[in-house]
Amino acid sequence: MFKRFKEDIDSFIKRDPAAKSRLEVILCYPGLHALMFYRVAHALWVRDWRLMGRFLSHFAKIVSGVEIHPGATVGRRFFIDHGTGVVIGETAEVGDDVTLYQGVTLGGTSLEEGKRHPTLEDGVIVGSGAQVLGPHVIGAGARIGANAVVLEDVPPGVTMVGIPAKMVMGRSKKQDSEFCAYGTPDGMKDPVVRTIEGLRDEINALKNRVQELEGETPQDNVESEQKLDVVSGGR
């Protein structure tokens, strides 16, 4: 248990340059506090001490501002930065080395029993305010941009932004090797700008095609008149 606790602390230091010491992380990071309470609450939950697990989870939400249902499954080196407003549902599954920022929701869209919350595979990063809704699988190493709303499965290693979220960047060697804060690669164009530029390119292509057709029309008319003259002369 203490080895796992040290591992969690080290993951906070590794992924947050503002963290200067383990003591600072222990005292000042609500994401770590929520994770500590979750570990105990989950142990109670799987041993059928479910009311106690829920109560401890509720207390952790009051203290840290993070709500992790004790029935959720959370892997190793889980990092919740800033923490406030994070919600993780009962059947959510979170792999190793996953990062969530403030305001993230791993929510369900069904009232039926069974799997209804998302699965985040290893190394996923979810930016602030993003929502992943439903029993969808977010592939290993994927990035979910800030305020995105994910309503479908996400392939491994891609970047998703927007409402609803769409893929804007595939896997790259640089992305695999570097940590991507807030799930948005540095220097990536605004998706709205990318869309406008795409529409502009299509309009320009259509204009060029129209000009080509208009340029062909006079020649076509000349050829048609010549054909008519030949027919008339033959008569």
Side-chain angles (χ1 to χ4, degrees):
M1 182 177 67
F2 288 105
K3 182 179 180 181
R4 177 67 63 86
F5 180 54
K6 179 179 180 298
E7 188 178 60
D8 288 334
I9 295 173
D10 289 343
S11 72
F12 276 69
I13 293 176
K14 180 179 179 180
R15 282 177 270 180
D16 185 1
K20 306 304 181 185
S21 68
R22 289 188 176 88
L23 183 60
E24 179 185 353
V25 172
I26 293 171
L27 295 177
C28 305
Y29 277 66
L32 179 65
H33 303 157
L35 186 57
M36 292 167 57
F37 279 113
Y38 160 79
R39 301 284 190 206
V40 178
H42 182 69
L44 294 170
W45 181 270
V46 298
R47 289 168 176 78
D48 287 331
W49 291 64
R50 299 202 165 185
L51 179 58
M52 184 62 70
R54 282 287 284 166
F55 177 77
L56 190 59
S57 173
H58 176 67
F59 179 76
K61 181 177 69 173
I62 296 172
V63 172
S64 66
V66 177
E67 181 178 352
I68 307 177
H69 194 286
T73 303
V74 174
R76 301 170 63 180
R77 298 176 296 278
F78 182 42
F79 176 44
I80 304 176
D81 199 6
H82 304 296
T84 304
V86 170
V87 177
I88 300 176
E90 177 186 7
T91 62
E93 299 177 51
V94 178
D96 297 337
D97 302 300
V98 170
T99 300
L100 304 185
Y101 287 88
Q102 67 273 15
V104 168
T105 299
L106 305 183
T109 57
S110 172
L111 299 179
E112 298 179 1
E113 293 291 333
K115 178 67 172 173
R116 59 188 187 279
H117 297 91
T119 296
L120 276 56
E121 296 184 344
D122 297 349
V124 170
I125 300 174
V126 185
S128 56
Q131 301 181 52
V132 185
L133 306 177
H136 304 297
V137 177
I138 311 303
R143 279 76 168 114
I144 309 300
N147 297 314
V149 178
V150 178
L151 302 173
E152 59 185 7
D153 290 356
V154 175
V158 305
T159 298
M160 306 284 288
V161 301
I163 304 175
K166 301 295 182 184
M167 185 177 72
V168 295
M169 186 178 294
R171 179 187 292 273
S172 68
K173 292 181 179 179
K174 182 178 180 181
Q175 180 179 336
D176 290 341
S177 61
E178 294 183 359
F179 179 74
C180 181
Y182 289 91
T184 306
D186 185 39
M188 187 181 74
K189 288 185 178 180
D190 187 314
V192 177
V193 174
R194 289 164 60 93
T195 301
I196 292 174
E197 290 180 348
L199 290 172
R200 185 177 61 186
D201 292 341
E202 290 183 11
I203 291 172
N204 288 335
L206 289 172
K207 287 173 64 178
N208 293 335
R209 181 56 179 159
V210 169
Q211 290 175 357
E212 290 177 3
L213 292 173
E214 288 178 345
E216 293 174 0
T217 300
Q219 181 64 30
D220 291 343
N221 290 336
V222 171
E223 292 178 356
S224 298
E225 290 176 359
Q226 291 175 347
K227 290 178 180 179
L228 289 173
D229 290 341
V230 169
V231 172
S232 299
R235 289 179 181 177

